[in-house]
Each structure stands twice: as C-alpha cells, then as structure tokens.
mmCIF file of all heavy atoms in Angstrom:
data_model
loop_
_atom_site.group_PDB
_atom_site.id
_atom_site.type_symbol
_atom_site.label_atom_id
_atom_site.label_comp_id
_atom_site.label_asym_id
_atom_site.label_seq_id
_atom_site.Cartn_x
_atom_site.Cartn_y
_atom_site.Cartn_z
ATOM 1 N N ASP A 201 -73.316 -14.469 98.303
ATOM 2 C CA ASP A 201 -73.725 -13.512 97.343
ATOM 3 C C ASP A 201 -72.580 -12.316 97.340
ATOM 4 O O ASP A 201 -71.835 -12.232 98.354
ATOM 5 C CB ASP A 201 -75.109 -12.914 97.485
ATOM 6 C CG ASP A 201 -75.327 -12.309 98.963
ATOM 7 O OD1 ASP A 201 -74.345 -11.701 99.431
ATOM 8 O OD2 ASP A 201 -76.413 -12.389 99.378
ATOM 9 N N GLY A 202 -72.625 -11.540 96.342
ATOM 10 C CA GLY A 202 -71.603 -10.417 96.237
ATOM 11 C C GLY A 202 -71.650 -9.442 97.390
ATOM 12 O O GLY A 202 -70.649 -8.961 97.876
ATOM 13 N N ASP A 203 -72.909 -9.173 97.952
ATOM 14 C CA ASP A 203 -72.980 -8.195 99.082
ATOM 15 C C ASP A 203 -72.221 -8.698 100.208
ATOM 16 O O ASP A 203 -71.621 -7.977 101.001
ATOM 17 C CB ASP A 203 -74.468 -7.987 99.380
ATOM 18 C CG ASP A 203 -75.156 -7.140 98.250
ATOM 19 O OD1 ASP A 203 -74.522 -6.496 97.482
ATOM 20 O OD2 ASP A 203 -76.388 -7.217 98.234
ATOM 21 N N ARG A 204 -72.246 -9.952 100.558
ATOM 22 C CA ARG A 204 -71.541 -10.565 101.677
ATOM 23 C C ARG A 204 -70.046 -10.445 101.495
ATOM 24 O O ARG A 204 -69.297 -10.026 102.450
ATOM 25 C CB ARG A 204 -71.969 -12.013 101.891
ATOM 26 C CG ARG A 204 -71.281 -12.455 103.252
ATOM 27 C CD ARG A 204 -71.693 -13.946 103.526
ATOM 28 N NE ARG A 204 -70.982 -14.404 104.754
ATOM 29 C CZ ARG A 204 -71.000 -15.715 105.079
ATOM 30 N NH1 ARG A 204 -71.678 -16.516 104.481
ATOM 31 N NH2 ARG A 204 -70.335 -16.082 106.168
ATOM 32 N N LEU A 205 -69.626 -10.656 100.290
ATOM 33 C CA LEU A 205 -68.191 -10.560 99.986
ATOM 34 C C LEU A 205 -67.759 -9.065 100.207
ATOM 35 O O LEU A 205 -66.680 -8.754 100.748
ATOM 36 C CB LEU A 205 -67.837 -10.987 98.611
ATOM 37 C CG LEU A 205 -68.032 -12.477 98.366
ATOM 38 C CD1 LEU A 205 -67.651 -12.832 96.862
ATOM 39 C CD2 LEU A 205 -67.175 -13.343 99.303
ATOM 40 N N ASP A 206 -68.541 -8.093 99.735
ATOM 41 C CA ASP A 206 -68.290 -6.677 99.897
ATOM 42 C C ASP A 206 -68.027 -6.423 101.398
ATOM 43 O O ASP A 206 -67.154 -5.688 101.731
ATOM 44 C CB ASP A 206 -69.497 -5.784 99.404
ATOM 45 C CG ASP A 206 -69.701 -5.954 97.925
ATOM 46 O OD1 ASP A 206 -68.807 -6.536 97.335
ATOM 47 O OD2 ASP A 206 -70.725 -5.404 97.513
ATOM 48 N N GLY A 207 -69.014 -6.904 102.267
ATOM 49 C CA GLY A 207 -68.877 -6.641 103.630
ATOM 50 C C GLY A 207 -67.618 -7.220 104.298
ATOM 51 O O GLY A 207 -67.071 -6.792 105.272
ATOM 52 N N MET A 208 -67.330 -8.411 103.766
ATOM 53 C CA MET A 208 -66.197 -9.197 104.405
ATOM 54 C C MET A 208 -64.846 -8.412 104.212
ATOM 55 O O MET A 208 -63.938 -8.417 105.086
ATOM 56 C CB MET A 208 -66.035 -10.624 103.804
ATOM 57 C CG MET A 208 -67.171 -11.563 104.151
ATOM 58 S SD MET A 208 -67.166 -13.067 103.292
ATOM 59 C CE MET A 208 -65.597 -13.745 103.800
ATOM 60 N N VAL A 209 -64.658 -7.875 103.053
ATOM 61 C CA VAL A 209 -63.323 -7.205 102.724
ATOM 62 C C VAL A 209 -63.365 -5.725 102.507
ATOM 63 O O VAL A 209 -62.344 -5.064 102.363
ATOM 64 C CB VAL A 209 -62.677 -7.857 101.491
ATOM 65 C CG1 VAL A 209 -62.429 -9.354 101.737
ATOM 66 C CG2 VAL A 209 -63.551 -7.678 100.177
ATOM 67 N N GLY A 210 -64.606 -5.137 102.674
ATOM 68 C CA GLY A 210 -64.672 -3.701 102.604
ATOM 69 C C GLY A 210 -64.498 -3.073 101.260
ATOM 70 O O GLY A 210 -64.179 -1.895 101.182
ATOM 71 N N THR A 211 -64.701 -3.856 100.217
ATOM 72 C CA THR A 211 -64.508 -3.357 98.862
ATOM 73 C C THR A 211 -65.255 -4.201 97.919
ATOM 74 O O THR A 211 -65.538 -5.413 98.233
ATOM 75 C CB THR A 211 -62.967 -3.218 98.431
ATOM 76 O OG1 THR A 211 -62.991 -2.770 97.120
ATOM 77 C CG2 THR A 211 -62.376 -4.582 98.566
ATOM 78 N N ARG A 212 -65.711 -3.672 96.780
ATOM 79 C CA ARG A 212 -66.292 -4.502 95.751
ATOM 80 C C ARG A 212 -65.297 -4.986 94.680
ATOM 81 O O ARG A 212 -65.658 -5.620 93.774
ATOM 82 C CB ARG A 212 -67.368 -3.684 95.014
ATOM 83 C CG ARG A 212 -68.542 -3.244 95.883
ATOM 84 C CD ARG A 212 -69.626 -2.511 95.117
ATOM 85 N NE ARG A 212 -70.703 -2.237 95.973
ATOM 86 C CZ ARG A 212 -71.903 -1.695 95.566
ATOM 87 N NH1 ARG A 212 -71.991 -1.418 94.207
ATOM 88 N NH2 ARG A 212 -72.816 -1.441 96.417
ATOM 89 N N ARG A 213 -64.031 -4.806 94.982
ATOM 90 C CA ARG A 213 -62.994 -5.174 93.919
ATOM 91 C C ARG A 213 -62.464 -6.610 94.314
ATOM 92 O O ARG A 213 -61.288 -6.941 93.997
ATOM 93 C CB ARG A 213 -61.893 -4.199 93.954
ATOM 94 C CG ARG A 213 -62.369 -2.777 93.639
ATOM 95 C CD ARG A 213 -61.197 -1.761 93.642
ATOM 96 N NE ARG A 213 -60.272 -1.971 92.616
ATOM 97 C CZ ARG A 213 -59.115 -1.358 92.359
ATOM 98 N NH1 ARG A 213 -58.836 -0.313 93.169
ATOM 99 N NH2 ARG A 213 -58.345 -1.572 91.353
ATOM 100 N N HIS A 214 -63.274 -7.380 94.824
ATOM 101 C CA HIS A 214 -62.866 -8.788 95.232
ATOM 102 C C HIS A 214 -62.926 -9.794 94.131
ATOM 103 O O HIS A 214 -62.468 -10.879 94.204
ATOM 104 C CB HIS A 214 -63.611 -9.296 96.448
ATOM 105 C CG HIS A 214 -65.083 -9.049 96.262
ATOM 106 N ND1 HIS A 214 -65.934 -9.689 95.352
ATOM 107 C CD2 HIS A 214 -65.929 -8.231 96.956
ATOM 108 C CE1 HIS A 214 -67.121 -9.304 95.445
ATOM 109 N NE2 HIS A 214 -67.204 -8.402 96.353
ATOM 110 N N GLN A 215 -63.620 -9.380 93.018
ATOM 111 C CA GLN A 215 -63.763 -10.325 91.784
ATOM 112 C C GLN A 215 -64.627 -11.545 92.145
ATOM 113 O O GLN A 215 -64.571 -12.491 91.375
ATOM 114 C CB GLN A 215 -62.397 -10.646 91.102
ATOM 115 C CG GLN A 215 -61.583 -9.480 90.800
ATOM 116 C CD GLN A 215 -60.229 -9.864 90.260
ATOM 117 O OE1 GLN A 215 -59.515 -10.673 90.893
ATOM 118 N NE2 GLN A 215 -59.801 -9.332 89.163
ATOM 119 N N GLY A 216 -65.342 -11.477 93.236
ATOM 120 C CA GLY A 216 -66.155 -12.698 93.502
ATOM 121 C C GLY A 216 -65.529 -13.809 94.214
ATOM 122 O O GLY A 216 -65.967 -14.909 94.298
ATOM 123 N N VAL A 217 -64.292 -13.544 94.690
ATOM 124 C CA VAL A 217 -63.565 -14.652 95.447
ATOM 125 C C VAL A 217 -62.797 -14.070 96.589
ATOM 126 O O VAL A 217 -62.024 -13.123 96.476
ATOM 127 C CB VAL A 217 -62.615 -15.428 94.434
ATOM 128 C CG1 VAL A 217 -61.636 -14.480 93.828
ATOM 129 C CG2 VAL A 217 -61.958 -16.546 95.136
ATOM 130 N N VAL A 218 -62.949 -14.729 97.756
ATOM 131 C CA VAL A 218 -62.249 -14.290 99.028
ATOM 132 C C VAL A 218 -61.844 -15.541 99.774
ATOM 133 O O VAL A 218 -62.501 -16.551 99.785
ATOM 134 C CB VAL A 218 -63.227 -13.401 99.871
ATOM 135 C CG1 VAL A 218 -62.534 -13.115 101.279
ATOM 136 C CG2 VAL A 218 -63.592 -12.170 99.235
ATOM 137 N N ALA A 219 -60.632 -15.603 100.325
ATOM 138 C CA ALA A 219 -60.066 -16.682 101.018
ATOM 139 C C ALA A 219 -59.809 -16.195 102.439
ATOM 140 O O ALA A 219 -59.249 -15.117 102.694
ATOM 141 C CB ALA A 219 -58.886 -17.244 100.451
ATOM 142 N N ARG A 220 -60.119 -17.002 103.441
ATOM 143 C CA ARG A 220 -59.717 -16.798 104.873
ATOM 144 C C ARG A 220 -58.480 -17.624 105.052
ATOM 145 O O ARG A 220 -58.464 -18.884 104.909
ATOM 146 C CB ARG A 220 -60.808 -17.168 105.852
ATOM 147 C CG ARG A 220 -60.465 -16.771 107.280
ATOM 148 C CD ARG A 220 -61.680 -16.945 108.192
ATOM 149 N NE ARG A 220 -61.999 -18.339 108.362
ATOM 150 C CZ ARG A 220 -61.438 -19.182 109.304
ATOM 151 N NH1 ARG A 220 -60.582 -18.631 110.110
ATOM 152 N NH2 ARG A 220 -61.835 -20.381 109.385
ATOM 153 N N VAL A 221 -57.261 -16.923 105.344
ATOM 154 C CA VAL A 221 -56.032 -17.655 105.388
ATOM 155 C C VAL A 221 -55.392 -17.480 106.818
ATOM 156 O O VAL A 221 -55.744 -16.611 107.606
ATOM 157 C CB VAL A 221 -55.108 -17.086 104.285
ATOM 158 C CG1 VAL A 221 -55.708 -17.231 102.947
ATOM 159 C CG2 VAL A 221 -54.743 -15.615 104.621
ATOM 160 N N ASP A 222 -54.486 -18.361 106.994
ATOM 161 C CA ASP A 222 -53.697 -18.320 108.294
ATOM 162 C C ASP A 222 -52.634 -17.179 108.121
ATOM 163 O O ASP A 222 -51.691 -17.297 107.332
ATOM 164 C CB ASP A 222 -53.032 -19.649 108.478
ATOM 165 C CG ASP A 222 -52.243 -19.635 109.839
ATOM 166 O OD1 ASP A 222 -52.245 -18.655 110.537
ATOM 167 O OD2 ASP A 222 -51.822 -20.802 110.193
ATOM 168 N N ALA A 223 -52.659 -16.141 108.917
ATOM 169 C CA ALA A 223 -51.778 -15.069 108.969
ATOM 170 C C ALA A 223 -50.528 -15.296 109.837
ATOM 171 O O ALA A 223 -49.621 -14.420 109.893
ATOM 172 C CB ALA A 223 -52.387 -13.720 109.280
ATOM 173 N N ARG A 224 -50.503 -16.355 110.549
ATOM 174 C CA ARG A 224 -49.504 -16.530 111.506
ATOM 175 C C ARG A 224 -48.332 -17.280 110.858
ATOM 176 O O ARG A 224 -47.956 -18.431 111.109
ATOM 177 C CB ARG A 224 -49.917 -17.466 112.666
ATOM 178 C CG ARG A 224 -51.136 -16.907 113.435
ATOM 179 C CD ARG A 224 -51.639 -17.829 114.465
ATOM 180 N NE ARG A 224 -52.152 -19.039 113.713
ATOM 181 C CZ ARG A 224 -52.579 -20.213 114.310
ATOM 182 N NH1 ARG A 224 -52.447 -20.343 115.605
ATOM 183 N NH2 ARG A 224 -53.042 -21.128 113.665
ATOM 184 N N ARG A 225 -47.600 -16.484 109.963
ATOM 185 C CA ARG A 225 -46.413 -17.078 109.348
ATOM 186 C C ARG A 225 -45.213 -16.768 110.144
ATOM 187 O O ARG A 225 -45.140 -15.844 110.930
ATOM 188 C CB ARG A 225 -46.277 -16.336 107.971
ATOM 189 C CG ARG A 225 -47.294 -16.702 106.950
ATOM 190 C CD ARG A 225 -46.919 -16.000 105.653
ATOM 191 N NE ARG A 225 -47.891 -16.439 104.619
ATOM 192 C CZ ARG A 225 -47.788 -15.971 103.352
ATOM 193 N NH1 ARG A 225 -46.821 -15.200 102.992
ATOM 194 N NH2 ARG A 225 -48.649 -16.412 102.459
ATOM 195 N N ARG A 226 -44.154 -17.538 109.975
ATOM 196 C CA ARG A 226 -42.990 -17.287 110.690
ATOM 197 C C ARG A 226 -42.395 -15.984 110.105
ATOM 198 O O ARG A 226 -42.286 -15.795 108.933
ATOM 199 C CB ARG A 226 -41.876 -18.431 110.376
ATOM 200 C CG ARG A 226 -40.563 -18.186 110.814
ATOM 201 C CD ARG A 226 -39.666 -19.386 110.422
ATOM 202 N NE ARG A 226 -38.330 -19.060 110.647
ATOM 203 C CZ ARG A 226 -37.480 -18.658 109.645
ATOM 204 N NH1 ARG A 226 -37.993 -18.320 108.441
ATOM 205 N NH2 ARG A 226 -36.233 -18.461 109.914
ATOM 206 N N GLU A 227 -42.041 -15.068 110.964
ATOM 207 C CA GLU A 227 -41.547 -13.718 110.577
ATOM 208 C C GLU A 227 -40.099 -13.893 109.899
ATOM 209 O O GLU A 227 -39.174 -14.452 110.494
ATOM 210 C CB GLU A 227 -41.383 -12.794 111.800
ATOM 211 C CG GLU A 227 -40.987 -11.458 111.401
ATOM 212 C CD GLU A 227 -41.061 -10.465 112.581
ATOM 213 O OE1 GLU A 227 -41.469 -10.878 113.635
ATOM 214 O OE2 GLU A 227 -40.662 -9.350 112.310
ATOM 215 N N LEU A 228 -40.104 -13.447 108.657
ATOM 216 C CA LEU A 228 -38.842 -13.554 107.958
ATOM 217 C C LEU A 228 -37.844 -12.564 108.415
ATOM 218 O O LEU A 228 -38.216 -11.305 108.532
ATOM 219 C CB LEU A 228 -39.138 -13.442 106.446
ATOM 220 C CG LEU A 228 -38.041 -13.815 105.490
ATOM 221 C CD1 LEU A 228 -37.654 -15.314 105.621
ATOM 222 C CD2 LEU A 228 -38.465 -13.468 104.060
ATOM 223 N N LYS A 229 -36.563 -12.930 108.700
ATOM 224 C CA LYS A 229 -35.506 -11.978 109.033
ATOM 225 C C LYS A 229 -34.688 -11.562 107.817
ATOM 226 O O LYS A 229 -34.539 -12.453 106.883
ATOM 227 C CB LYS A 229 -34.721 -12.523 110.126
ATOM 228 C CG LYS A 229 -35.515 -13.010 111.415
ATOM 229 C CD LYS A 229 -36.055 -11.831 112.107
ATOM 230 C CE LYS A 229 -36.746 -12.148 113.445
ATOM 231 N NZ LYS A 229 -37.407 -11.060 114.109
ATOM 232 N N LEU A 230 -34.020 -10.358 107.835
ATOM 233 C CA LEU A 230 -33.160 -10.036 106.832
ATOM 234 C C LEU A 230 -32.014 -11.046 106.706
ATOM 235 O O LEU A 230 -31.601 -11.407 105.602
ATOM 236 C CB LEU A 230 -32.599 -8.665 107.056
ATOM 237 C CG LEU A 230 -31.636 -8.038 106.023
ATOM 238 C CD1 LEU A 230 -32.277 -8.063 104.674
ATOM 239 C CD2 LEU A 230 -31.177 -6.681 106.441
ATOM 240 N N ALA A 231 -31.565 -11.484 107.790
ATOM 241 C CA ALA A 231 -30.438 -12.534 107.854
ATOM 242 C C ALA A 231 -30.783 -13.795 107.092
ATOM 243 O O ALA A 231 -30.001 -14.381 106.477
ATOM 244 C CB ALA A 231 -29.993 -12.870 109.252
ATOM 245 N N ASP A 232 -32.124 -14.180 107.179
ATOM 246 C CA ASP A 232 -32.578 -15.388 106.323
ATOM 247 C C ASP A 232 -32.365 -15.120 104.863
ATOM 248 O O ASP A 232 -31.950 -16.104 104.199
ATOM 249 C CB ASP A 232 -34.067 -15.583 106.672
ATOM 250 C CG ASP A 232 -34.287 -15.895 108.203
ATOM 251 O OD1 ASP A 232 -33.438 -16.526 108.804
ATOM 252 O OD2 ASP A 232 -35.452 -15.620 108.604
ATOM 253 N N VAL A 233 -32.655 -13.993 104.372
ATOM 254 C CA VAL A 233 -32.526 -13.654 102.976
ATOM 255 C C VAL A 233 -31.027 -13.598 102.608
ATOM 256 O O VAL A 233 -30.612 -14.220 101.611
ATOM 257 C CB VAL A 233 -33.206 -12.316 102.610
ATOM 258 C CG1 VAL A 233 -32.864 -11.929 101.178
ATOM 259 C CG2 VAL A 233 -34.752 -12.458 102.927
ATOM 260 N N LEU A 234 -30.228 -12.906 103.369
ATOM 261 C CA LEU A 234 -28.793 -12.719 103.112
ATOM 262 C C LEU A 234 -28.134 -14.084 103.096
ATOM 263 O O LEU A 234 -27.214 -14.358 102.239
ATOM 264 C CB LEU A 234 -28.214 -11.767 104.037
ATOM 265 C CG LEU A 234 -28.773 -10.337 104.076
ATOM 266 C CD1 LEU A 234 -27.991 -9.531 105.039
ATOM 267 C CD2 LEU A 234 -28.663 -9.715 102.644
ATOM 268 N N ASP A 235 -28.483 -15.004 103.998
ATOM 269 C CA ASP A 235 -27.900 -16.292 104.100
ATOM 270 C C ASP A 235 -28.229 -17.225 102.975
ATOM 271 O O ASP A 235 -27.505 -18.180 102.710
ATOM 272 C CB ASP A 235 -28.247 -16.924 105.501
ATOM 273 C CG ASP A 235 -27.579 -16.281 106.664
ATOM 274 O OD1 ASP A 235 -26.639 -15.447 106.411
ATOM 275 O OD2 ASP A 235 -28.003 -16.490 107.786
ATOM 276 N N SER A 236 -29.369 -16.976 102.282
ATOM 277 C CA SER A 236 -29.873 -17.848 101.221
ATOM 278 C C SER A 236 -29.427 -17.456 99.844
ATOM 279 O O SER A 236 -29.677 -18.123 98.865
ATOM 280 C CB SER A 236 -31.399 -17.961 101.271
ATOM 281 O OG SER A 236 -31.940 -16.713 100.924
#
C-alpha cells in the first residue's frame, strides 16, 4: 500500500513505485571518461 512506500523512501512523491537496487557499482574515475 502507499503508506508503506511512504515509509520506505520518506516521501509521498514515489508515484507508487519503488525499487531496491544494488548500490555497489564500480566507482567511475575521471580518467575513465577522458580515455573514452
């Protein structure tokens, strides 16, 4: 229900959809961008 989503993300502006995602991404370096 919407109330649970409110509590999960601390706002009512979630539009009724929330995803739990993997935040452990490889940290992008500036050199990676410049080289590409």
Side-chain angles (χ1 to χ4, degrees):
D201 59 34
D203 290 340
R204 183 177 176 188
L205 294 179
D206 295 349
M208 290 169 65
V209 296
T211 177
R212 294 188 176 184
R213 301 181 65 183
H214 45 69
Q215 300 176 313
V217 60
V218 173
R220 187 169 70 87
V221 302
D222 186 354
R224 297 172 300 170
R225 292 182 175 183
R226 173 179 168 271
E227 186 174 353
L228 189 65
K229 303 293 185 183
L230 180 58
D232 297 330
V233 174
L234 299 180
D235 290 344
S236 67

